[in-house]
Every structure is written in structure tokens, then in C-alpha cells.
Amino acid sequence: MIAFVTLVSLDLRELWMSFRLLLVLTALLGSALAVVVASVVAPALPGTAVYGVALALSSAIGAGAAAHNVASDLRRGPAAWLTVRAVPRSSLLLAWLSAFVVPVAAGIVVSALIAWLTLATAPGPATAFGFAILAAAAGWFLAVALGVTAGTLLPPWRAASLAGLVALGVALLAFAVPVSLPLPTGGFALLASIGSAERPIAAALQATGAALVAIAMLTVAAAAFLQRVDL
């Protein structure tokens, strides 16, 4: 357990030193800032719609940052150095994923609080809004898992570009289908229409569950790819 915490700390330090952590937090807080700006520039726009779209767009940045981080570790030597010292590759993978958990969760909480306080009218019950945020957070972590998987396959910039584009497409797809469909990224669309959604809590739980299943599948795929990487 101590060794795993050390791995996560090393990954967090790398994220901080490379400014990728700052990029991720800026993207999350920028989503809330978009609501603030929209409330002043275009008050007729629904604030939750602006926030849902902004969070969906920011998830592509998270995917790119995760992909670049993993690909850089694999190609610059840190991963090989740790593997030589009997650190399992599966532990490296879980550490890469875990390093994003705390900063992304904290960033989403702060971002959601700012957005909630900025909205001129309450976007439905606070409980429904909270569950929609949970579903959107699951969609955001799905983008991170997608980035980690891409990082095990491609060089840094190619992995970041591919992961960002795929994450963006998957996130925006949720806006093109009914909210009732349990898509992994459905939390973004649910958040955008939280004021008019039927059974928002049930829809949020379904989207969260779908995202967790997709994250698990991507993690298994990334682990399989990582075993074949020549470090």
C-alpha cells in the first residue's frame, strides 16, 4: 500500500512539474467561468446548458493530458526504471489513473459550486443537480481512462491528439441522443437539461453506471496493451 501511494505521489509530482495538472484544473474551473461569462454576456442562455457543454469540452483536455502523461512516462524511462525494480506494470497503470482522481474530483466540486452559485435561477432540486454532477464527473474520468489507454499505444503528442478527439466526440454524442439513454457520457447532456429532465436522478445513476463499466473495460484494455509495451 505504501509503495502504491509512493507511485501515485510520483505521478502527481510529474503532473505538477509538467503543468499538466494546472491544465486540467484550469479546464475544469474554466467550465464554471463559462457560466459566469454567459450570465453577463448572454443571460438568455440556460446556464446549465452552458455548463454541461463546457464540461464536455473540458473532458477532451483531460483525455489529452492523461495520454501525454502516460506516453511520456513510457518513453522517457521512468516506467522502465520502476519495472526493473520489481514494480508490476499493473501498479503503474493504476497509479496513472489514481493520480487524476483527487485533483479532478476537487476541481469538479469547486467548479460545480461556482456554477451553482452563478445560476440566476436554481436548476431544479439540489439533489438532482448533485447527481447530474456525479454522472458528469464519471464521464470526465472516462475521458481520463481513454487518455491512459491511448498513452500506452502511441507517442505523446499523437496519443494526446487522438485521445482528445475521441473523448470530445464521445462527449458530444450524448447531446445528440435522448437523455434517457444510459450513455457513459450522458451526464453532460443531463446536466445541460437538468431543469426539464424527467427522472433526473435515475438517469444520472444509469449514466454513472455505464461510465464505470466503460472505465473498467478501458482499464483492462490498457493493462493488456501495457504488458506488450517494450520499456
Side-chain angles (χ1 to χ4, degrees):
M1 184 63 183
I2 295 177
F4 181 74
V5 172
T6 301
L7 286 176
V8 175
S9 300
L10 289 173
D11 288 333
L12 278 172
R13 182 179 181 277
E14 174 61 26
L15 285 172
W16 175 256
M17 296 297 292
S18 63
F19 297 104
R20 296 185 197 110
L21 181 58
L22 181 62
L23 178 64
V24 168
L25 294 177
T26 300
L28 287 170
L29 296 180
S31 301
L33 181 61
V35 180
V36 177
V37 173
S39 67
V40 176
V41 177
L45 284 176
T48 53
V50 174
Y51 189 46
V53 173
L55 269 183
L57 295 176
S58 69
S59 69
I61 297 177
H68 198 284
N69 186 64
V70 171
S72 297
D73 270 4
L74 289 176
R75 285 157 179 80
R76 288 190 299 102
W81 184 84
L82 290 169
T83 303
V84 169
R85 282 151 181 79
V87 176
R89 297 191 181 200
S90 59
S91 295
L92 295 178
L93 174 64
L94 293 177
W96 286 325
L97 289 169
S98 300
F100 281 88
V101 171
V102 173
V104 170
I108 288 178
V109 168
V110 174
S111 175
L113 181 60
I114 295 173
W116 174 268
L117 294 176
T118 303
L119 295 172
T121 57
T127 303
F129 183 78
F131 275 96
I133 290 296
L134 176 65
W140 226 94
F141 283 115
L142 173 61
V144 171
L146 178 62
V148 170
T149 304
T152 62
L153 293 171
L154 299 169
W157 286 110
R158 289 173 59 189
S161 300
L162 178 62
L165 289 174
V166 174
L168 180 60
V170 173
L172 294 181
L173 176 63
F175 294 92
V177 300
V179 175
S180 57
L181 290 179
L183 291 181
T185 56
F188 300 127
L190 175 62
L191 184 60
S193 60
I194 190 65
S196 59
E198 297 181 3
R199 303 178 61 200
I201 295 178
L205 291 176
Q206 290 175 343
T208 302
L212 292 178
V213 171
I215 290 171
M217 294 174 63
L218 283 173
T219 302
V220 171
F225 296 147
L226 187 59
Q227 294 298 326
R228 299 176 179 274
V229 173
D230 186 15
L231 299 177

